[in-house]
Amino acid sequence: MKHEIPIDQLVAELSQSIAAVTLAETENNIIPRFNQSKTVACVNAEFTVHDDIPEELKQGIFSQPISYPAKLRFANATNRDDSKKDVRGLSIRLSNVEGDVLWGEPGLQDFLLNSYPALFVATPEDFLAFARARQEDKKLGFFVNPLDPHLKSLLIAFKSLKKHLSPLDIRYWSTVPFRLGNQVVKYSVIPCSDYQTTQAVEAGENQLRAALKAHLQQGPASFHFAVQKQTDPDSMPIDDASVIWDEEASPFITVATIKIEAQDFDNPESLATCERSSFNPWQSLAAHEPLGRMNQVRRLVYANAAQVRNNKNKE
């Protein structure tokens, strides 16, 4: 096992590298996120908890059948051009949530997901090495460094990059684990709309945004929100974010539905507000506490990165 760096040191060094990278990538006076940098859209939605879920899953926001107002942000991980291969991101914020939060603003619950079920790095130490390589413009060196190769990371990164026709037809995963009462779980958001995009609506840089708009003009978009329980700590580790938990051994169980109705989301004001938004896995009830060392560093690293972006973007 590689040497573990203390969490405080990881937070400080990651925050420094991420700030350096994002400041260097400032475009049109906007500092992008280190990850999920291209804003596709933010939309309002309704998040409805089902009434027929297993008793052991009735924890936190899933404790009773209720609907929450939700804000969803769809994004590209790195590419400004929607037509290119990339990892896509989905961030969800629920409002009117009752109970004390672990961090952040009362009444809010965040979930952050990606379009691939694992991260390309296993540990926060690996992520720090990648952030440093990106800061030095030596990303390829991170993967193929003969002294410290990350070939599994290279394979995951290659497999995770895909072309997509619409963000509303993509499945998303939390990739890292969370508490659900006394259980350990991962989350997934699974498309279940009646309508599906079958060809590029407006080929080019903003085709995902155009596809989202066209879909909502045809009818509402829907997703299932599902939970996967950890059934084997060895094959479903908490502290290796590069491991995909076997869905045959532990299938995802639907606990809620997300519904998005037609709305005006692609005007300049809405897109600017979306760009200024920030999400954090620790903006959460204790029942959904983020678990593992990767999640430990995310709280302050994400908060620090959001502060850098917001402070600079206000100038």
Side-chain angles (χ1 to χ4, degrees), residues 129-159:
F130 173 75
R132 285 171 172 164
R134 185 168 162 187
Q135 183 181 354
E136 297 169 3
D137 198 22
K138 297 178 180 177
K139 284 194 294 185
L140 182 59
F142 165 77
F143 295 109
V144 298
N145 182 348
L147 299 179
D148 185 21
H150 293 85
L151 299 182
K152 181 183 177 182
S153 292
L154 181 62
L155 177 61
I156 294 173
F158 177 78
K159 291 170 69 175

Side-chain angles (χ1 to χ4, degrees), residues 130-239:
F130 173 75
R132 285 171 172 164
R134 185 168 162 187
Q135 183 181 354
E136 297 169 3
D137 198 22
K138 297 178 180 177
K139 284 194 294 185
L140 182 59
F142 165 77
F143 295 109
V144 298
N145 182 348
L147 299 179
D148 185 21
H150 293 85
L151 299 182
K152 181 183 177 182
S153 292
L154 181 62
L155 177 61
I156 294 173
F158 177 78
K159 291 170 69 175
S160 66
L161 298 175
K162 293 185 177 180
K163 291 186 177 183
H164 297 98
L165 292 176
S166 170
L168 300 177
D169 299 330
I170 300 170
R171 183 176 177 184
Y172 302 89
W173 290 264
S174 65
T175 69
V176 288
F178 296 82
R179 188 181 308 283
L180 186 60
N182 294 322
Q183 301 162 103
V184 178
V185 303
K186 288 186 177 182
Y187 299 119
S188 185
V189 171
I190 305 165
C192 58
S193 304
D194 292 334
Y195 175 84
Q196 185 172 2
T197 301
T198 56
Q199 61 184 13
V201 174
E202 179 184 297
E205 182 178 358
N206 293 312
Q207 69 179 43
L208 293 179
R209 187 178 300 157
L212 198 161
K213 184 175 183 177
H215 182 141
L216 296 182
Q217 289 172 341
Q218 294 288 331
S222 298
F223 292 93
H224 289 316
F225 190 97
V227 171
Q228 181 187 34
K229 296 187 292 184
Q230 182 197 56
T231 55
D232 177 9
D234 293 327
S235 62
M236 300 176 174
I238 290 177
D239 272 317

Side-chain angles (χ1 to χ4, degrees), residues 15 46 100 112 121 232:
S15 295
E46 183 179 47
D100 295 333
L112 287 74
V121 289
D232 177 9

Side-chain angles (χ1 to χ4, degrees), residues 18-27 31-32:
I18 288 171
V21 169
T22 55
L23 285 168
E25 294 179 353
T26 299
E27 188 174 313
I31 299 175

